[in-house]
Amino acid sequence: MASPDKRDLLGACMWAGATVAAVAVSDSTLLRAVLGLPMALLISGHVVLRAIGVRTTSLSEHLAYSIGASLAVTIVGGFVLNAISALAPLGWAFWYLAVAIAARLLPARGNDVSPARAWLGPLRIQPWQAAAVALAMLVATGAYALAIHDQAADRQFRYTEFWMLPPAKGDPGQLVVGVHSAEAQAGTYDLEITLDGKPFAVFRSLTIAPGDTWVRKVSVPILATQQQAEARLYRPADNKLYRRVSALVPEAEAR
Amino acid sequence: MTRAHPNAEIAIAPVQGWIQSVLAPIGPDLRGNSADATPEPADAGWMATLCLLVAVALLLVVAGHGAGRRGDAIAPLLFWSGAVLMVVPTSLRIAWPDVARSERLFLLLLLVEALFYFKTVYSPTGFAHHDEFLHWASAEDLATGHRLFLRNPLLPIAASYPALEIVTTAIANLTGLPLFAAATLLLAVLKGTLIAALFLFYESISGSARIAAIACLTYMGCSTFVMFESAFSYESLGFVLCMLILAVEAASKDLVGRPRLCALGLVALLLAGLAVTHHLTAAFAAVYLGMLAALEALRRDASLRLEARIAMGATAALAIMLPVLWVMASGNSFTGYVGPVVETGFRTLLGKVFGTGIPPSEHLGAPTQPIGMRLTTLLAILLLALGLATGFFRSLATTAPRALHQGWRPIQGILKRRWRDSRIVLLTLLACGFPISVAFRLTVNGWEIGNRMGTFVFIGVGLVVAVGIVHFWQDRMPRGWRRIAPSAALAVIVMGGVTASSLEPIRGPYKVAADAQSIEQMGIETSLWTKQWLGPGNRFTADRINRLLLAGYGRQDVRTKINEGVYAARAFRHESLGSDDFYALSKSKLDFLMVDLRLTTASPILGFYFEPWEPQQGVRLSAAELLKFNTVKGITRTYDNGYLIIYNVRGLHGEP
């Protein structure tokens, strides 16, 4: 009996090697996707089917089984890489390379894809049919782009964010106060800060355009007792308290 | 020999005739020609035309969502015309009698990917469904922590079933794609693989590509097919692995020697993958393969080889042992997770049937859908019931010994344990679960069971309905109404799957506590703010929707409980913070509470704001309840955008 052809396994090894190289040296998502997606979802399963020697009777069956085996190989890979603390891009690339090389080194058990029941058979495609399929792909892609555009443009709520952060551990005397506008138009605000109810700082006529952020660090004294800081955002246009936030200023640490 | 009672026989004859005419539609006679007479090649003209039609349909669906976002009244017309244009022509062609195998398979793939696109454009740049956020949080943890088994407070059991996150992060790591893109690509591949596996499985056991294609179409009528099994959730991967296992097992039924052993090797690999992917699907695979082995043992057939029995026994043993071993090894509480849901569901259903006590939450009533959607679902259920009634005995008859082909003799043969393929017997019996799953879906508390059951029960329903259509409705030489009506009925069944998959599939304005309909830009940006200004990993609690956003976009450590045994709902209810709740909050490890004042504007669509089991279900929240934290000493108000407020509760634990 003739020895089964192992060129596909050699090709898988080369593909896996190229994936390792791409992951190691390239930041190109396109290049890595072109190499990595087939590796993770198809090729690794194909080499496992060849290594086990599973018989398939049609291309559709072989593709389905290859994808299933790829999923299983990837799951096993997750556990192996976790055990050796290598759950990272290069770890994955080397895992698939190891699987491909192992399948190449195992004795071959035959490639049993029957050409008689290939997936689409001897399909003859007319030019208008190819054009219709290309147009369909264009329309579907355009529709997805339209969906993304609609989502980005969808802002049901208009609002102004107002916040006050307590002093950080490394920066004990600094409060952070911020305003961000997600309104439809620019707004003017007055901002007042009190410390234990007493006026401490005032910022008048802050004009903030949609999408803009205003942030200030405000130095506060550290006392022997804890203080409560409060910031109020007013809209001068209608003399209205618009937002209110607060923070605790911790007491000085005992020496 | 003389007849004793000729008059009595004359009287009985019309009754017998009437009974026979009534029984004929449900009887086991196999009239149809399931053989695929249509040769290859496929008709490329049909395939190209349908590709174009489906693309136009998807454009209409997207336009419907866009109109829904803007509040235009035309949204339902655009959306549903797109859905009908996507489903009906393709379904009609797939179910048509004279179509080549490869064309049926191509069109099934086209339809299933179109349905996935249909699901994805609801939220084209991010996850939108509840369970997707739970797994997204786990996947982000894995991607950033580079370790498995990290705790997920929103879905504790997910840590023990990390396969989906492993595969997604593997793709993201290899390609450099964001997790959402990696997950979407993975799900698209999974949907195609699922339909291919289903087709191959049905084809292996029925020997007919036409029956296989019709069975796949019928499966698409399952309420979980369009949305639930397309979501970024561990079931989506688990069910694909499960169907591949069933397909490989069925395809290997006639293999002997080494090829059979090789197929068993692949099944073992897939079973191992399934054991760490999803608990319920692994349990179903174990039950299916266990029962298959039992039926093979029961079967009276000398032709069955010992080798085949051993292979089936070994497959069943693996299917049972691997998930059990994994549960023991990972120490997860599968029964504790599933048990209460099953118990409440059964108690509710039995309570409704026998008129005994039912849980109070049952009185809240289920959220309603537009009348057109409900009618379509109802019509699809009726057509499925008709298909089951005409296909049940015929499905059994397809596996009866060939010598028994007259009248009810095939069924008598089956009852005497004489059949040719145990898979067909098992799937036909499995289809009996359909009315039970529908009954569960009619209750609020049992809905979850009925919905999950559907995923598995429909494997049997698909086969039985397909046999009914081919061997009764389409008959030997389908012409006239026999050509059109069954295909049209299948298109309605697929549409029923679309209408049953979601409460409100058209993107619209924000709604209170309605899962996907509650997720919008302001909530997302507030969660992103927490990551930018507070940093990730703070302990937060909030209502159900904001918890998801905080875990996904905010990367916060989100808790459903304030303390052990104290659920978040307790802190948010009541207009003043009682001493018990104050004590629980001060003893907790929480850093922040988020309140959403929009919750006070309407009753929750799903019936609850925080948890399905919250005590005050259906009672509308008030602003006073949510704003009570303004006056609690030790609690400060860190963030306010007019709708969403973040309270810092570290002061209760003596921290700033």
Side-chain angles (χ1 to χ4, degrees), chain A residues 32 52 82 87 109 117 119 129 140 144 151 154-157 159 161-164 243-246, chain B residues 45 69 101-102 105 117 120 124-125 146 148 173-174 258 262 510 525 598 637-641:
Chain A
R32 286 171 59 173
I52 299 175
N82 182 59
L87 271 172
R109 296 197 176 91
R117 294 187 74 191
W119 187 35
Q129 294 161 348
Y144 204 90
Q151 170 146 313
D154 183 20
R155 299 200 72 88
Q156 198 181 339
F157 296 95
Y159 55 95
E161 294 177 298
F162 185 40
W163 65 89
M164 178 185 258
R243 301 272 184 272
R244 186 169 64 83
V245 290
S246 59
Chain B
R69 286 179 193 275
R101 173 188 186 269
S102 57
L105 188 50
Y117 184 112
T120 308
T125 56
H146 305 292
L148 293 178
N173 277 328
L174 275 186
R258 187 169 188 88
C262 294
Y510 168 87
E525 283 175 0
R598 293 174 298 177
R637 188 166 153 142
T638 299
Y639 170 97
D640 180 6
N641 71 15

Side-chain angles (χ1 to χ4, degrees), chain B residues 449-497:
Chain B
I449 302 174
N451 200 42
R452 301 289 178 98
M453 267 180 81
T455 303
F456 306 116
V457 163
F458 259 75
I459 304 172
V461 172
L463 177 72
V464 173
V465 171
V467 169
I469 285 175
V470 169
H471 287 288
F472 178 73
W473 295 103
Q474 288 185 333
D475 218 338
R476 276 190 190 85
M477 295 294 286
R479 286 199 187 90
W481 73 268
R482 285 187 182 278
R483 221 174 156 82
I484 296 163
S487 303
L490 280 163
V492 173
I493 287 171
V494 180
M495 277 307 296

Side-chain angles (χ1 to χ4, degrees), chain B residues 636-648:
Chain B
T636 54
R637 188 166 153 142
T638 299
Y639 170 97
D640 180 6
N641 71 15
Y643 302 92
L644 290 149
I645 301 169
I646 296 172
Y647 289 103
N648 182 333

Side-chain angles (χ1 to χ4, degrees), chain A residues 66-89:
Chain A
S66 294
I67 293 170
S70 296
L71 296 170
V73 163
T74 304
I75 294 166
V76 173
F79 285 90
V80 172
L81 295 176
N82 182 59
I84 58 172
S85 301
L87 271 172

Side-chain angles (χ1 to χ4, degrees), chain A residues 96-131:
Chain A
Y96 291 118
L97 180 62
V99 169
I101 290 173
R104 175 82 176 82
L105 295 177
L106 281 172
R109 296 197 176 91
N111 185 352
D112 297 294
V113 182
S114 163
R117 294 187 74 191
W119 187 35
L120 280 178
L123 188 64
R124 278 187 219 96
I125 301 172
Q126 306 286 330
W128 77 265
Q129 294 161 348

